[in-house]
Amino acid sequence: MTLSFLNNLKNQHVFLMLTLVVFLLYGQTIFFDFSYFDDNTLILEHQSFLSYISNIPRAFQRDVFMVQQSEAFYYRPFLTVYFMLSTLLGGQNAGVYHFFNIVLHLISSFLIYWLLQKLKMDRRLAFLASLLFAVHPVSAQAVAWIPGGNDPLATIFIVSAFIFFINYFASGQWRDLVWPQVFWLGALFSKETAVFAPV
């Protein structure tokens, strides 16, 4: 039965299965509270800043911990904007932040599948690989811990950059070379280690 399911696999089945598996695995985190390990500093102590969408430009002028520039170490403005959007929708409700981390991880899993399809991998193998990515324990911290949201954010941008880079090789159009740069910049604004992605 499993083999016959894999033989008849379609994209909509892949997306449905990944969604079910990710929410079955991580859905319980929606009921978790803040861990008070960085999330209090990043979110709870800065509600007055995060509650105003007009502060988005200011997110690009400061460290993610909102420290003074001389002490700044983590430049992650997209993570701050992500927290802003979560704050606007959920305030101090930790479940909202956990839900959005799950959604980011799910999008990352979809994109892994899409990338593998672009690389001409067999659909069944691409599904199994993206499923492995979705359930692998190494992702648990990135999904279950609210500040870990920067990892799936960076993954979304990096994998998207690769997908559009493949499009460039397929089309040969210079305009298709712009999108990989845009997505790589998004990855850099999510997590500094994205600087190594082009390598």
Side-chain angles (χ1 to χ4, degrees):
M1 180 175 170
T2 306
L3 285 176
S4 106
F5 168 74
L6 287 175
N7 287 334
N8 298 316
L9 196 64
K10 293 183 170 48
N11 286 338
Q12 58 265 33
H13 297 141
V14 170
F15 298 138
L16 179 61
M17 288 296 295
L18 286 173
T19 301
L20 287 172
V21 167
V22 166
F23 273 95
L24 281 172
L25 185 62
Y26 290 111
Q28 62 185 329
T29 65
I30 294 170
F31 304 102
F32 291 0
D33 201 354
F34 292 103
S35 65
Y36 292 87
F37 185 69
D38 286 347
D39 50 15
N40 56 319
T41 309
L42 291 167
I43 298 166
L44 297 176
E45 293 174 11
H46 295 102
Q47 285 288 296
S48 59
F49 179 85
L50 297 173
S51 297
Y52 294 96
I53 203 159
S54 58
N55 284 330
I56 286 178
R58 292 178 61 201
F60 289 83
Q61 300 169 0
R62 57 186 62 210
D63 175 274
V64 73
F65 284 98
M66 313 280 180
V67 297
Q68 296 299 321
Q69 289 296 342
S70 59
E71 302 169 8
F73 190 69
Y74 295 105
Y75 184 68
R76 299 173 179 174
F78 278 7
L79 182 63
T80 302
V81 171
Y82 168 63
F83 289 150
M84 280 182 174
L85 298 175
S86 300
T87 299
L88 289 170
L89 292 169
Q92 294 186 33
N93 180 349
V96 172
Y97 298 87
H98 286 296
F99 173 78
F100 286 125
N101 270 17
I102 296 170
V103 171
L104 288 180
H105 182 59
L106 185 58
I107 293 169
S108 298
S109 302
F110 290 162
L111 287 170
I112 294 289
Y113 172 75
W114 189 13
L115 173 64
L116 295 174
Q117 287 284 277
K118 284 277 186 186
L119 293 171
K120 308 295 186 199
M121 181 179 279
D122 180 83
R123 179 176 286 139
R124 294 165 296 181
L125 289 176
F127 166 65
L128 293 174
S130 58
L131 184 63
L132 178 63
F133 172 82
V135 302
H136 200 283
V138 79
S139 299
Q141 167 268 334
V143 183
W145 181 50
I146 294 170
N150 63 336
D151 289 325
L153 265 177
T155 301
I156 287 168
F157 286 115
I158 289 169
V159 175
S160 297
F162 281 123
I163 289 169
F164 281 93
F165 199 58
I166 292 167
N167 288 349
Y168 163 71
F169 276 113
S171 72
Q173 300 289 327
W174 282 103
R175 67 171 185 267
D176 289 334
L177 197 54
V178 172
W179 286 110
Q181 312 308 317
V182 169
F183 283 114
W184 182 54
L185 186 62
L188 282 173
F189 284 166
S190 301
K191 191 167 184 178
E192 309 80 14
T193 51
V195 72
F196 298 109
V199 179

